Amino acid sequence: MDDWELSAAAYTSLSFLAGQLKQLASFQPSLASLVEYTLAAADADPEKPADYRYGDALITNHRAAVEGNRLYEKLHMRMLGRLSMPKEDPKARKHPDIASRSYLVADCLTSVMMAEFVQMCAQHQTVRPCQRCGKLFVPFSGTAKYCSRTAPNQGKCTCKKAASDEAAEQSQRENLALKLYTKIGNRLNTGLSRVEGLTAERRSKVMKCWRAEVKPLVQQFSSEGEDFDAAAFEQLLTDHFDDVWNRKKTEWAKKKRGKQTD
């Protein structure tokens, strides 16, 4: 072939591809709406499968369903059959069976997308929004919350991996805050045991009150991420203890004065 013939063939192919992509882009909003109405809704309401949701969309004349179904009815899909023979191996029979295989052949990308959607409905497959990037994805399990896309993370890692790493970091920070909370609590309790005249019951009340007030701070400080300041956290716990200890001493002093007055 001459150069001009190659150029003409290339131009024809690119023009055809451009037309296909333009059709697909035009159909995409309708398909997205249809997926939301059927596959995503079926995931949120398992009692009503996706094919039932698709049927409801057609009955109620949902715009995207009507447009998609009209396209699906006009699909130029055909079954392409061919014969294939299993590979021979030493253990195979002398005359292996001949197998027949069938393939769906479409003449445009919108046909492929609509056929895939209808097949997903028939197989009761669902989609759900990723809790990290918000885009729809096909869950690999009933508990999957994150997709495997890398775009939201500039290609560094998937949403699933990023969420896993964040959970691990959060757990590590919580463990650090919890360790500090336990360490300081033990130290304060030991200090109270050395206070002359303080009964075990009163010491227990002081520590119980302190723990009730500062336990929420463990979660609060651990959620600060890389800004977690162990020294500031320790000082805050100590200040809370001083406040609780002073309140309890004032309370006991008032009770003692009241008894003396009686």
Side-chain angles (χ1 to χ4, degrees):
M1 295 178 66
D2 296 331
D3 289 344
W4 73 269
E5 292 178 319
L6 290 174
S7 298
Y11 176 77
T12 301
S13 298
L14 290 175
S15 297
F16 175 77
L17 179 59
Q20 292 290 306
L21 293 176
K22 186 178 294 185
Q23 290 179 26
L24 188 60
S26 176
F27 180 58
Q28 192 274 337
S30 296
L31 182 60
S33 175
L34 200 52
V35 168
E36 285 276 6
Y37 188 86
T38 55
L39 304 183
D43 181 69
D45 183 16
E47 294 184 0
K48 201 161 192 178
D51 58 342
Y52 283 29
R53 294 284 307 174
Y54 184 39
D56 288 347
L58 293 174
I59 292 173
T60 58
N61 287 321
H62 187 271
R63 185 187 61 80
V66 172
E67 181 181 349
N69 195 58
R70 187 183 300 116
L71 172 66
Y72 188 66
E73 290 176 349
K74 293 181 179 180
L75 293 184
H76 297 291
M77 304 284 290
R78 60 191 176 89
M79 298 297 295
L80 177 65
R82 76 176 186 184
L83 300 179
S84 61
M85 298 181 65
K87 293 182 179 179
E88 282 282 4
D89 61 59
K91 297 181 180 180
R93 292 183 299 172
K94 186 175 182 179
H95 300 289
D97 295 333
I98 297 177
S100 177
R101 303 176 186 275
S102 298
Y103 303 86
L104 280 174
V105 180
D107 63 348
C108 64
L109 292 177
T110 49
S111 298
V112 175
M113 296 301 297
M114 192 61 197
E116 179 69 17
F117 165 75
V118 173
Q119 186 177 34
M120 289 181 70
C121 289
Q123 295 177 353
H124 308 306
Q125 292 187 18
T126 59
V127 298
R128 65 182 57 155
C130 173
Q131 292 189 10
R132 184 170 179 83
C133 68
K135 295 182 179 180
L136 293 176
F137 73 105
V138 179
F140 59 87
S141 72
T143 59
K145 297 179 180 179
Y146 307 99
C147 70
S148 298
R149 295 186 182 90
T150 57
N153 308 289
Q154 291 77 46
K156 295 180 180 178
C157 61
T158 64
C159 287
K160 181 181 176 182
K161 180 66 167 56
S164 177
D165 291 345
E166 287 181 357
E169 292 176 4
Q170 176 69 12
S171 177
Q172 185 176 6
R173 290 193 297 268
E174 288 180 357
N175 288 337
L176 177 59
L178 189 59
K179 285 181 180 179
L180 280 173
Y181 161 78
T182 303
K183 174 185 174 182
I184 295 170
N186 290 338
R187 186 182 69 195
L188 296 174
N189 190 44
T190 300
L192 284 178
S193 66
R194 296 172 183 163
V195 176
E196 186 177 351
L198 184 65
T199 64
E201 181 183 0
R202 286 190 170 183
R203 184 174 79 245
S204 177
K205 287 182 178 181
V206 173
M207 293 306 301
K208 184 177 181 180
C209 181
W210 175 77
R211 288 192 176 94
E213 291 186 10
V214 302
K215 193 63 180 289
L217 297 177
V218 175
Q219 178 66 28
Q220 178 184 332
F221 263 68
S222 62
S223 63
E224 294 183 353
E226 297 179 356
D227 297 329
F228 177 75
D229 190 335
F233 181 62
E234 183 173 353
Q235 184 61 49
L236 183 63
L237 297 185
T238 303
D239 291 343
H240 267 277
F241 174 79
D242 291 340
D243 182 56
V244 171
W245 177 232
N246 290 330
R247 291 202 316 263
K248 287 297 181 183
K249 286 193 296 185
T250 301
E251 177 185 333
W252 294 331
K254 287 182 178 180
K255 287 183 178 180
K256 185 176 180 180
R257 288 196 298 270
K259 288 182 179 180
Q260 290 176 349
T261 303
D262 293 340

